[in-house]
Amino acid sequence: MPGPYQNADQWLFDNLERACAHLFPEGKQEGENFVVGNIAGKPGRSLSIALGPQPKRGIWKDFANGDKGSRNLPNLWKEARGIPRDNHARFFQELEAFAGQSFGYNGAGKSSDFDWPGCLAKFSDADAIRLATHPKRQYKVETVQWFHKYEHLGLYRGQITFAMRDATGKVVGVNRWFEDEGKWKFLKSPTLFVVGDPAVARELHIHESINDLVAMVDRTGWHLDSAKLFFCTWGASGAKLVKDRIPSGINKIYVWEQRDQPDPKTGIPPNEGWQARVANAAARPVHLVRIPEAYKDLNEWTIAGATAEQITFALDFAKLYRSANEKPEPPKPDYKDLPKNFPPAEQRPCYRVYDSPVTINGRKFKAGVYSHEVATSGEGKYPQDTFICAVLRVVAKTATARDRDFGRLLEYYSSNGIKRTWSMPMELLAGDGSPVLSQLLRDGLEINHPAKKKVLDYISKADPAEFYRCATRTGWHSPTTFVLTEEIITAENGEPKDKVWFQSSSKTADYTKNGSLENWKLGVAAKASGNPYLLFAIAFGLSGPVMMPLNLRGLGVHIHGDSTTGKTSVSEAGASCWGHGHDFLQTWNLTANGMETVAVEHTDTLLTLDEIKEIEARDLDRVAYSAVNGQGKIRSDRSGQARSPHLWRVALFSTGEYSIGARLAEANINIKTGQELRLVDLPVVDEAYGIFNNLHNARDGAEFATSLRTAASQNYGHAGPAMVKAILGYQVSLLREQHSKILGCFSTTNAQQARVAEMFAAVALAGEIAARAEIVPWTAATADDYSDSDSVNAAVSLFNRWKENRSVTPTSFSNEHSSILVAVSDFIERHSESRFSDVNATPHVTKMGHSIEPPIVRDRAGYWDDSSGSRIYLFTNSGLREATKAYDFRRVIKALDDAKAFTKKGTDKTSVLTRIPNGGIMRLYYIDPAQLQTL
């Protein structure tokens, strides 16, 4: 009959959500975990309690202090409520009052004689060093400290002591180390010593001696592997302690050999009897691990220098245990006993997938993938059927349109029943295959850990007949097929030429759906009325799919303004077109290489980057230019061959407190015109409430922003796919025609403004299409009259604000020409007195007739001439090139000439032959600084 603690533990397990909410009112549920700041219940996320999936339910761990974690739910209650672990009465009093039921605790029995918390508190680093450095132990101090940290090791009356616990975890005795005698002595009857979490372990190691157990984990580090469990029976007579203590989840049991001297009376080594009794108590197959004959036990072997690799090698050679006088095993199941859906002998070895459980000779096999092999026992052979993972199907082979990047399309289910599909690149199997296992485990597939390599072997050997074309980036795979990471959208008028699926070694874009499109329209899109920045952000979020038909390489807008103006809320609204408003956001905290991976998975959709201050300026210098350019670096593979570069086409929506130019300026980098036109700096100006103008009955901007973010995290992921379906109904020629008409609504004076207007017009067109398709509740244009169009009016309004924000007057000068003029002007301002001198200088003479040499000019950049009444600067060729080193020199001359900055030009060249003070002649550029002013 279960005891009180077992009853309490089961009740807490069944009512875990209710108990967590009671113990930690400041905590919250996030996905399948309940999180709170710490065991004291402070707000935060460091302490995590697993609510699911079922195999992990109840595991709790504080990541802040590095605890290994536990599944002991009564201890969780005690620590949260400040109840000493040995105060059983108070624990049951509280829990029974909360649960409204009894768990069978009546206070009977003596309380522990051991103040184990006190023993733990007395244990010091000096004690750890004393045990670790003993000649017959020689452990790492860190290992001893680990046993103390997890409450296995303390100090009892001055003696280093191991705790002995009953099955509930209560300390009922101790085993003390008498150092001078070199012996361990019990106080109370010994109990099974357990290291690890029985609830999650899959591999069990049983030792007769505590010295062997500690020596093994000290040398291998296996105690840090949650899949491993360790028992110590405290001597040969303790073999019976193993009975009924082996968890059902254990897949393999190892017994570690010892070679004590034979009993003088019987002549039999006591450990042979211990091995037989352990195997009998286990009532399951066990494997005996032998150690080199030169050593009597594992502790002695490690002192002699055994390495982790040697110990692992010994484990690999473990044999199924059979004692000398063991009775013959019952016959193994014969092939004729197999059900029809298990393969016969002639088909083995092989793998098979079973959608439902099967039973053989009373043994139940759960659904999943099995390895079917032939095992040999003596002269006989029998079938060996090993579960390797839950149901996992290799549905199809995959490759790109160029027959490269081959992969396998996998279908499987998470442990809570959610179907997953992943097009796995075969190149991930080139190494040890750990990236494949990591992705499958992240997606919740149940894998038999000892057989994990067989999962990789199963996938690599599968030969499906089906074939899919794989898309290595999202977006338009063809004019009629649009690819997302978990969805393929096709035209309704027919099947695509090839079956297609997205393939990647990782997934950074979270294309998910929740709620409904109608609720999104009410909670997010409708609030854009009267808010041009918000409307533009949502239209921008829908503009990715129009780039390909409009032949645009990318779109890029960076909205900047003061903190807490609502920029992030607007970003989340746009992001909710494709996924969760907050989770779909990326941050600028990435490198240029990282940007490539992210951009590929956001091709033709939306890439939102928040907080530009998080990226290094030098990375921003490259990213701002290349993000919308659409191509990454060309790299070589291991053989030195050039690999195809990453290609993408993104609509990049960025926010931050700083403009692109200001962020680059912090690193003394001048923004280039190409960067400025690819990622447009758009300031937040002229709105009544930060970035908003219409609060839709909210009390203030903060409340409106909160309601917008909440709506974007409740209903999301519908508008983007709906936009793709709407675009599939248009001819490309019609889209381009409408884009051209909308472009006519924008007033431009030069080619660079026209280029930005082309981007803004594409965003306006996306809003128009969405309004006509009723994806958003906005006013669309009437025929070709765009004056009533919400999206066009918003785009034109923000385009005009961008023009007003640029650092040029509204002339026909390009911004690059303007930047050249600024560069020359800044150079003159910095160096006019130090690197220029008077071209008409005459020697000065003292009253005594001595000449005074003029000041020496180092690194001369030119001269000045004041003879006309205003100062003109005469640049040398090298000086002018230095002042404008970031620009092509021919472009520099043209910019200065267009600005009428040259006061004099030569007959055949712009520079003029000029006599200089030393009597020589050189060519100089005559520049009027007054003509350089652009503001």
Side-chain angles (χ1 to χ4, degrees), residues 756-770:
V756 174
E758 185 181 41
M759 286 200 299
F760 278 59
V763 176
L765 175 61
E768 268 294 295
I769 295 171

Side-chain angles (χ1 to χ4, degrees), residues 543-620:
S543 63
V546 306
M547 292 188 294
M548 191 271 286
L550 297 183
N551 200 27
L552 296 176
R553 296 173 70 180
L555 304 173
V557 169
H558 173 68
I559 292 182
H560 61 92
D562 292 340
S563 177
T564 68
T565 55
K567 302 183 299 297
T568 301
S569 300
V570 164
S571 290
E572 292 189 15
S576 66
C577 296
W578 297 98
H580 185 283
H582 176 72
D583 294 348
F584 196 78
L585 254 66
Q586 306 283 332
T587 73
W588 274 104
N589 188 17
L590 40 73
T591 63
N593 291 340
M595 168 61 83
E596 294 185 17
T597 303
V598 172
V600 164
E601 293 193 20
H602 292 80
T603 292
D604 289 337
T605 58
L606 173 68
L607 174 57
T608 51
L609 297 177
D610 196 21
E611 295 300 340
I612 197 170
K613 64 184 178 183
E614 294 188 5
I615 187 173
E616 293 293 334
R618 296 196 179 277
D619 279 330
L620 177 61

Side-chain angles (χ1 to χ4, degrees), residues 200-262:
V200 298
R202 295 294 179 266
E203 183 178 295
L204 173 61
H205 298 261
I206 304 177
H207 296 271
E208 182 261 0
S209 163
I210 188 65
N211 300 327
D212 290 352
L213 190 157
V214 178
M216 183 179 74
V217 301
D218 176 72
R219 195 55 53 95
T220 62
W222 288 349
H223 58 302
L224 305 177
D225 184 351
S226 61
K228 290 181 170 60
L229 184 68
F230 307 91
F231 285 177
C232 171
T233 65
W234 301 114
S237 61
K240 61 182 181 295
L241 300 175
V242 173
K243 183 176 176 59
D244 298 327
R245 294 295 300 276
I246 299 177
S248 59
I250 293 295
N251 297 316
K252 201 160 188 178
I253 304 171
Y254 295 100
V255 174
W256 287 79
E257 180 185 33
Q258 270 209 348
R259 295 197 185 89
D260 287 345
Q261 292 298 317

Side-chain angles (χ1 to χ4, degrees), residues 763-784:
V763 176
L765 175 61
E768 268 294 295
I769 295 171
R772 294 173 195 163
E774 298 184 349
I775 298 170
V776 293
W778 303 339
T779 301
T782 305
D784 291 332

Side-chain angles (χ1 to χ4, degrees), residues 410-478:
L410 309 180
E411 278 188 2
Y412 47 95
Y413 290 84
S414 67
S415 55
N416 56 355
I418 304 299
K419 184 179 180 180
R420 309 283 190 189
T421 307
W422 178 34
S423 185
M424 180 208 77
M426 287 298 286
E427 67 177 354
L428 296 185
L429 296 176
D432 61 2
S434 58
V436 176
L437 296 173
S438 296
Q439 182 64 47
L440 294 174
L441 289 169
R442 272 197 302 270
D443 283 348
L445 181 70
E446 180 189 354
I447 293 178
N448 179 9
H449 188 76
K452 62 184 180 182
K453 290 185 178 179
K454 289 185 178 293
V455 176
L456 304 174
D457 187 58
Y458 159 67
I459 295 173
S460 65
K461 289 181 177 177
D463 188 24
E466 196 78 45
F467 181 80
Y468 277 63
R469 285 295 175 195
C470 68
T472 54
R473 60 179 180 266
T474 57
W476 293 107
H477 181 75
S478 73

Side-chain angles (χ1 to χ4, degrees), residues 371-430:
S371 165
H372 297 295
E373 298 173 299
V374 176
T376 302
S377 178
E379 297 296 325
K381 295 183 178 181
Y382 62 93
Q384 183 168 295
D385 306 292
T386 305
F387 172 83
I388 64 172
C389 67
V391 175
L392 167 67
R393 295 192 177 278
V394 184
V395 176
K397 297 176 182 177
T398 62
T400 63
R402 297 181 180 181
D403 276 338
R404 303 189 69 178
D405 296 320
F406 276 78
R408 296 292 183 267
L409 184 61
L410 309 180
E411 278 188 2
Y412 47 95
Y413 290 84
S414 67
S415 55
N416 56 355
I418 304 299
K419 184 179 180 180
R420 309 283 190 189
T421 307
W422 178 34
S423 185
M424 180 208 77
M426 287 298 286
E427 67 177 354
L428 296 185
L429 296 176

